Amino acid sequence: MSGESTDLRGKTALVTGASRGIGRAVAERLAADGALVAVNYARDEVAAKEVVAAITEAGGRAFAVKAELGTDGDVESLFTAFDAGLRELGAEPPLDILVNNAGIGAKATIEEVTPDLYDQVFAVNTRALFFITREALTRMPDGGRIINVTSGVTRIAFPEGISYAMTKGAVDTFTLALAKHVGPRGITVNNVAPGFIDTDVNADWLRGNPEGQAYAASRAAVARVGVPHDISGAVTFLASDAASFITGTIIDATGGADL
């Protein structure tokens, strides 16, 4: 939770998929800059409580919100838990910052993608994001911030994960249209697109694997593998007043992959 600070005091943020990886780094950074952060998780309550504890110990404020996205009733479950968490803290209900970070991968070529896999990845990465955002807009005051964590695969061909890439392409289009729609309210909508990041999602081929590390670093112009805090800084910037005139765009946080 280090780095140049942006003032988010008095703001409330909801970060989906915040119990680990990029989501955890984003939650910690937003809290470090003053926001009250709702830490969403699907199943790992222990990990989510660890994030809340880390934020609290560092002087921030946070609470855990359980909701498994991509399932029936996910949006209702998410915001019921969000409202309950606010009440327990005696906090006000407006939601100032929404970070749509939760997502699942689907490493499969077009020949390997099954209908069930296709439906699952779209349910989490696209459908849940859409309807969570729609509900969030009913709670968000003018001047709010929506940040979607997408992927560099919308710029770089990724046939080995074609259905996953399609979901992120859909989010790019969603962001562009929504930014125009809510712009008159002063609400900004932007994407942050990570590249190869050292997280649990990539652990099987990247973490502790010198060959994987070397390959990922070779793809980036900055010649290294990204870490979650590389992404959290970009998200926090977009959540701040410093980015109030930026909307409908993408911050490429791939380290210059495949330039």
Side-chain angles (χ1 to χ4, degrees):
M1 289 189 283
S2 61
E4 187 174 342
S5 178
T6 21
D7 189 359
L8 298 176
R9 287 174 293 179
K11 305 292 187 181
T12 298
L14 168 61
V15 183
T16 64
S19 63
R20 61 178 183 162
I22 291 172
R24 175 173 183 160
V26 168
E28 291 181 345
R29 179 62 188 270
L30 292 172
D33 290 346
L36 167 61
V37 181
V39 176
N40 163 246
Y41 69 100
R43 292 176 295 275
D44 195 342
E45 182 178 8
V46 173
K49 287 185 175 180
E50 287 176 357
V51 178
V52 172
I55 288 172
T56 303
E57 290 169 8
R61 301 173 69 210
F63 59 97
V65 174
K66 181 179 182 179
E68 185 171 354
L69 307 187
T71 61
D72 291 341
D74 53 358
V75 177
E76 181 179 359
S77 296
L78 177 69
F79 283 100
T80 296
F82 175 77
D83 290 341
L86 288 179
R87 285 194 300 270
E88 287 180 11
L89 292 175
E92 296 296 324
L95 173 60
D96 304 286
I97 301 162
L98 171 65
V99 181
N100 286 308
N101 166 75
I104 59 173
K107 193 172 182 181
T109 65
I110 190 168
E111 294 83 4
E112 297 166 335
V113 174
T114 65
D116 285 345
L117 177 61
Y118 184 94
D119 289 345
Q120 182 184 24
V121 72
F122 269 87
V124 177
N125 296 1
T126 304
R127 185 180 187 277
L129 179 148
F130 183 100
F131 288 103
I132 287 169
T133 303
R134 188 173 76 171
E135 175 61 26
L137 285 170
T138 68
R139 301 155 174 267
M140 188 171 286
D142 292 354
R145 299 284 183 267
I146 298 170
I147 303 103
N148 300 317
V149 178
T150 58
S151 174
V153 300
T154 61
R155 174 175 64 80
I156 303 165
F158 190 56
E160 62 269 39
I162 190 168
S163 59
Y164 169 80
M166 288 172 66
T167 67
K168 297 303 186 178
V171 174
D172 281 359
T173 301
F174 171 73
T175 295
L176 185 65
L178 187 63
K180 178 73 171 178
H181 184 64
V182 300
R185 291 180 54 191
I187 296 173
T188 64
V189 190
N190 292 287
N191 293 342
V192 174
F196 292 120
I197 308 297
D198 188 356
T199 65
D200 291 347
V201 173
N202 296 317
D204 59 338
W205 69 274
L206 187 59
R207 188 170 296 167
N209 179 359
E211 290 183 1
Q213 291 272 341
Y215 169 75
S218 73
R219 297 282 296 270
V222 297
R224 70 172 176 84
V225 177
V227 295
H229 286 289
D230 289 324
I231 310 305
S232 64
V235 172
T236 304
F237 165 69
L238 290 173
S240 74
D241 288 341
S244 63
F245 208 55
I246 300 172
T247 196
T249 194
I250 301 168
I251 290 184
D252 187 301
T254 65
D258 287 13
L259 291 181

